Amino acid sequence: MSVHDTLERAFAPLAASVAAGRIPGGVLGIVEADGRRAVRAIGSAQLEPTLRPMHEGIWFDLASLTKVIFTTPRILRAAGTGALDLDAPLVSVIPDFRQYNVDNWERRITFRQCLGHQTPFPGVFPLYTYGTDPNLLRAFLLQHEWPAGPAVYSDINFILLGIALERLANTTIRDMDPGPGFAWSAAPANAAATERCAWRGRVVSGEVHDENCFALQGSGHAGLFGTAASVLDYAGTLLQGGPVVDLMRTPLGPRRTHGWERPYEGWSGGERCTPDTIGHTGFTGTGLWLDFARGRAWTLLTNRVHPSRFSDSGILGLRRAVGDLVNTD
């Protein structure tokens, strides 16, 4: 079956979701290891205050795909060059982290633990409610007395990894090259709108949806923008392999690798992925999955939080249905 036939088959759940009004629109793309690809768009990039159609070149707020497209490869490359040791504590690069008590548990957290979300940080924290001065918020994050809980998926892990990258480069993330085909913002008229934000008092389009990333003016956990083409280009490079990719595929637990998720019962990639698959999703409705055994990657980019996150978009079921159809032999 050609990649175009595979895409047409896997596109059906996305089309049905848009027709049912569960999400405004989306773009589905598939790329094979030999470079063959197919992309298709449907629905609306924005519903309010104006209506705009979705198309294949729309820029998406990739949300937590930032973790695996930007932050993870840079941390792993830094480890490869010896700029950091994955099993060393964060304080080897951020010495002022919880600097007023050298016995704090936070000072023993390692880079590898952050990549695998194996730390006791809370799952969510409204950092943006403590102010909008990005330097003050970084200082707050580094000196706050964090409650230690069970290991959960936490943005704090990747905010800290982003700060480590800033320290190594002596510049802010916003001043770093986001990578080929990516950016830290997009023209509002050519971006998929996200939420009608009560805090900012407007429909967000072309600026980061994540409140903490917005307040930090750049972070390691969110903020990257890209098109389906740029995400597929990136995925295509990963399908070619290499030392960094080997680490991305190396398990750190039953559900996680270095930065990515791996298949488990009920995961976003569906039931028909091979065990040699990694993937990740973003809160705004984005996702990227790579099945190395099949030599295939696919991205589903939607604006499911537009105009509000407080609706049942059915995004998990949609992702799983698309993944199963992509991988039906």
Side-chain angles (χ1 to χ4, degrees):
M1 180 177 290
S2 73
V3 67
H4 293 280
D5 291 338
T6 300
L7 182 133
E8 288 303 308
R9 179 179 62 195
F11 196 78
L14 174 58
S17 184
V18 172
R22 302 193 79 178
I23 61 172
V27 180
L28 176 63
I30 302 174
V31 64
E32 305 282 356
D34 61 9
R36 292 176 299 149
R37 67 171 64 191
V39 181
R40 186 176 170 188
I42 192 171
S44 300
Q46 185 166 343
L47 299 176
E48 58 177 67
T50 57
L51 181 65
R52 290 188 290 113
M54 186 69 73
H55 59 80
E56 294 175 9
I58 284 287
W59 286 74
F60 284 84
D61 177 341
L62 297 174
S64 284
L65 290 189
T66 305
K67 294 180 173 76
V68 294
I69 295 176
F70 178 82
T71 306
T72 293
R74 281 161 177 78
I75 289 290
L76 296 181
R77 284 199 294 267
T81 63
L84 61 85
D85 178 347
L86 292 179
D87 292 311
L90 295 178
V91 293
S92 61
V93 174
I94 316 172
D96 50 314
F97 183 33
R98 297 291 278 127
Q99 63 188 3
Y100 299 109
N101 184 348
V102 295
D103 296 323
N104 283 323
W105 62 266
E106 296 100 322
R107 290 183 61 86
R108 296 189 293 273
I109 292 295
T110 69
F111 292 95
R112 201 184 305 270
Q113 288 173 321
C114 286
L115 286 168
H117 295 280
Q118 298 172 321
T119 69
F121 293 114
V124 294
F125 187 83
L127 185 66
Y128 71 100
T129 65
Y130 288 77
T132 55
D133 181 322
N135 292 326
L136 180 61
L137 290 179
R138 280 169 173 76
F140 175 87
L141 183 86
L142 293 177
Q143 305 310 331
H144 184 65
E145 185 175 349
W146 295 103
V152 295
Y153 177 87
S154 174
D155 283 344
I156 294 172
N157 290 311
F158 274 77
I159 295 175
L160 289 168
L161 291 176
I163 291 174
L165 291 176
E166 292 179 329
R167 295 291 180 89
L168 289 172
N170 195 30
T171 191
T172 66
I173 282 180
R174 280 285 178 87
D175 287 329
M176 295 182 193
D177 181 357
F182 298 103
W184 298 119
S185 62
N190 199 34
T194 54
E195 198 163 17
R196 186 194 314 110
C197 179
W199 176 50
R200 283 171 272 192
R202 59 180 178 272
V203 172
V204 175
S205 182
E207 62 180 337
V208 62
H209 171 266
D210 184 274
E211 296 93 344
N212 285 343
C213 183
F214 181 86
L216 287 164
Q217 296 181 23
S219 175
H221 77 291
L224 198 65
F225 282 76
T227 64
S230 55
V231 175
L232 292 178
D233 286 346
Y234 173 73
T237 65
L238 297 191
L239 288 174
Q240 303 310 309
V244 167
V245 179
D246 289 344
L247 275 173
M248 290 180 179
R249 297 168 61 184
T250 301
L252 289 178
R255 294 191 175 192
R256 299 204 173 272
T257 69
H258 290 75
W260 296 76
E261 279 195 326
R262 54 194 296 244
Y264 56 87
E265 185 176 355
W267 91 305
S268 62
E271 298 300 318
R272 294 176 180 168
C273 300
T274 72
D276 200 11
T277 303
I278 59 174
H280 209 284
T281 61
F283 183 78
T284 53
T286 58
L288 172 63
W289 301 265
L290 302 99
D291 190 326
F292 290 91
R294 286 191 172 96
R296 175 185 301 152
W298 67 102
T299 184
L300 175 63
L301 305 177
T302 79
N303 51 353
R304 69 103 184 174
V305 297
H306 179 65
S308 172
R309 74 183 74 182
F310 302 110
S311 63
D312 182 13
S313 66
I315 189 65
L316 176 58
L318 172 60
R319 286 165 171 158
R320 286 171 51 78
V322 167
D324 283 342
L325 290 172
V326 166
N327 294 306
T328 297
D329 296 323

